[in-house]
Amino acid sequence: MINHANVQNADYFKTYLTLIMDHRELSLQEAIDFMMTTYFYNNIELYGEKPKEQFELAIQQLIRQ
């Protein structure tokens, strides 16, 4: 179970997305979709603005890699 009590930073989300991509053999977009469904329950603002910003930052950093 994921603990959502603390605001996760971009590094956390980058690691999470990378693990999903590696383990499930998904593209970045597929991993994002998976996380949107399973972590954010299809509501990017579910845990507030900070997690949303950090998740989006992580995506941008992964795109630039």
Side-chain angles (χ1 to χ4, degrees):
M1 174 163 223
I2 300 169
N3 180 358
H4 298 292
N6 297 322
V7 173
Q8 307 301 344
N9 62 27
D11 287 336
Y12 170 85
F13 287 120
K14 281 175 27 183
T15 300
Y16 198 113
L17 285 164
T18 301
L19 287 171
I20 292 168
M21 288 187 292
D22 292 346
H23 180 72
R24 295 180 174 266
E25 298 180 359
L26 300 177
S27 68
L28 176 57
Q29 185 57 57
E30 290 169 326
I32 292 166
D33 294 343
F34 179 83
M35 249 186 112
M36 285 297 300
T37 302
T38 62
Y39 186 93
F40 290 105
Y41 302 99
N42 295 314
N43 179 1
I44 189 71
E45 296 180 355
L46 180 64
Y47 302 110
E49 189 64 27
K50 281 292 190 190
K52 173 188 170 192
E53 289 172 0
Q54 293 300 302
F55 183 62
E56 291 171 345
L57 178 60
I59 293 167
Q60 291 305 312
Q61 290 174 356
L62 286 169
I63 289 170
R64 284 185 253 148
Q65 283 185 348

